[in-house]
Amino acid sequence: MPIGVIVAVAIVCIVVAVLSSAQRADEVAVAHEKQLFSGALANYGRTVLSEVDSVASSQSATQNIRHKFDPVWTEQRAGTWLAAYFKHDYILVFDGQDKPVYSMIGHHAADKAWFESARPELIELINYMRGRTPAMSGAIRLGPGSRTDAGAQANAVAIRSVLGQPAAIAAVAIGSDEGIAPANDTAAPIMLSVKFINDEVLAAIATQLGLVNLRAVDDSPVPQGDFVYQLHAPNGDFIARFAWSAKQPGAEIVQSVIPFIAVALAGFALLAAFVLRYMRRTAVAIAAGEVRLRHLAMHDPLCGLPNRIFFGERLEAVIRDVRTSKSPAAVFYIDLDHFKDVNDTLGHPVGDELIRSVTLRLSLALGAGDLVARLGGDEFAVISPVNGGTAKMMAMAQSIITAICAPYNIGGQNIVIGASIGIAVIDRDCAGAADIMRYADMALYRAKNEGRNRAVIYDAAMDADLSKRKLLESDLREAIETNQLRLMYQPIVNKSGETMTGVEALCRWTHPTRGEISPVEFIAIAEHSGLIVDLGAWVLRQALTDGKQWPNLTLAVNVSPLQFRRADFAGLVERTLMATEFDPARLELELTESVLLGNIDTAEASMLRIKALGIKLALDDFGTGYSSLAYLRRFPFDKLKIDRSFVMSIEKAADAAAIVHAVVSLGRGLGMKVTAEGVETADQHLFLRAAGVHFMQGYRFGKPTTAAEITARLEAPKDYLPVDVPAAMAV
Ligand code: C2E
Ligand code: CA
Ligand code: CA
């Protein structure tokens, strides 16, 4: 718009400038022509006067008119002469008393009475000649005039109207008496001639001045483009009206300039069009760029899902909608387990590919009304309308977990990851987006703590949990730094239960105010906060130090997956072994199945490295994860520890017993030793022994206890034998 206005204004300015200069040129031209024309009229008068003068100022004229008036001479040498040769119209001769003594009109001697009719128009000049009027404006003289102001004139001519026609009236005083100053010679006869400015004269002037169509006109209007010249006597009396076709240099200017202006305007228009086009294109490009930028800003470049910002905006909108429409929604906060491990060990390209695969599976698992976003690294979130209760939400979460947990094959690598989900419900009187996300995060934490690969729905109690946890975390940090942790050792016995073959180191923390805290609780906190690395290192070192005093026992130490996945774990174990001079063959590291999740190839490599040191590996809590036979075959475990939950249910569920049987024979089949955990009763002991379990661990054979008591027990093994008799055997 502004450019259009500027261009339009510029165009208008140029046109106005051209037109006004053209008009000005026309005006100047007309003024010039006017000047030329009035000059030509004056010239005409001068010519007429000199013609009269050529006759009147001769010696013979003085002789034949002034000294002795000779009508014949006057007729022949003045009247006829002037009429014939110079085409004068009227010739009159006045005597010293202004009485006409001769008159001729158009080649014929005229009645002197005629003069009376013309006298008013001629008398002005005669009066001037006589010096009766001191000056006559517009009068032209040949040579110097009277020598005094009011003296008589020798000659004069004026353009005046004579009998309604423009004419030059010329008068010449004839001769002069000797001794009389010309100024006082008021009695000289005067020869007066009238020569009309007729068409012939005008034609001559037109030719001379180059005026087109010069003519005398009456009052009627003249055609457009003709210029009218009003000739007035100095006293204002109208003399005549002339007209000619005015030269119009302006039009010429306009005509000659028009092509340039046209080109310039075309250029302008072109330029404006270009600029407009460019601007429109730029605007379109900018708009497209904005859309692109917005898309980039709102989406994850790796997987194309909406990002955290987009998700945040949508969440706000959903919360608003829910508050007005009442139909609730929920946020599913999904965290991948072991993704970081894949990224670290297999490299980012594989990690990226894994994220894309997860994205694809998520999209397939979700409905059309669900929004899925990637919030960062290994975190995803879904906003989904809730139609149905808790069961529906949990079912949906489970289907997401199932989708994500199925094995991946990326670049020839087999990868298994897990997923935990925290769910926060958005209902009518829910808090803001930030709170919803906090709730979902708390529920997620709980899901991870409860063993991962599960979903938890937020409830208000978790808030309190969170702050408690935060407190505990800092207390635990301090406990590790100030050596407040202790180790207890639980005996592991042979199948008969009579001989202690080893111990399992179990960590203990007595909180200064809260008392004894279960390792289930604080190990989780340590894993979540990263404290597990220091804690694990401490446990290993302490266990090896304590264990040195029991040269005939194996020493089992629990290793958290987070610890195990660290690249320097094998190095740490090796250094600790060296530092404590502990025999690697007596060390048994207990790993859980989650160690195998993520990049199973590096997990295997790491295990082999540890085994190369001579250390044994035990698969802890067997049966609680999603143990696959393939894993068991592939990984170099020396031992299986059947989880307490199976042992517990042996007496209650027939199938549990069958499973234990199967597991034991499986382990044996794969060449592994089998330990049963949590053996509390004589019946469990009997059953497990019959099933072929190699080692037993449980309260029946000894609770976790101090190192000193283990030493004492080694010294007096008889004191620690189980005393009861299995119910099955007690008849
Ligand atoms: P876990 O490795 O499965 O350890 C066995 C747990 O079962 C111990 O619980 C032990 O006290 C308990 N237990 C043993 N026999 C019986 C029984 O007959 N009946 C019952 N009811 N329980 C029995 P604790 O000491 O509370 O440890 C719990 C878990 O904490 C351990 O499970 C282990 O996963 C973890 N943990 C303990 N210490 C450490 C540690 O130093 N490092 C790591 N990474 N984890 C540890
Ligand atoms: Ca264990
Ligand atoms: Ca266990």
Side-chain angles (χ1 to χ4, degrees), residues 122-150:
L122 307 179
I123 196 72
E124 188 196 6
L125 187 63
I126 291 175
N127 283 340
Y128 176 61
M129 291 292 289
R130 293 286 182 230
R132 286 195 281 268
T133 49
M136 178 181 175
S137 52
I140 301 164
R141 296 171 311 219
L142 298 173
S146 69
R147 291 164 192 90
T148 63
D149 276 350

Side-chain angles (χ1 to χ4, degrees), residues 33-34 36-37 205-214 244-245 247:
E33 282 174 351
K34 234 165 91 178
L36 285 178
F37 183 65
I205 292 177
T207 312
Q208 185 195 338
L209 298 185
L211 294 182
V212 179
N213 198 16
L214 175 65
W244 65 86
S245 304
K247 276 211 196 78

Side-chain angles (χ1 to χ4, degrees), residues 504 558 590 620 641 677:
E504 178 179 358
N558 292 288
E590 294 193 0
D620 204 355
K641 293 187 83 173
E677 291 187 291

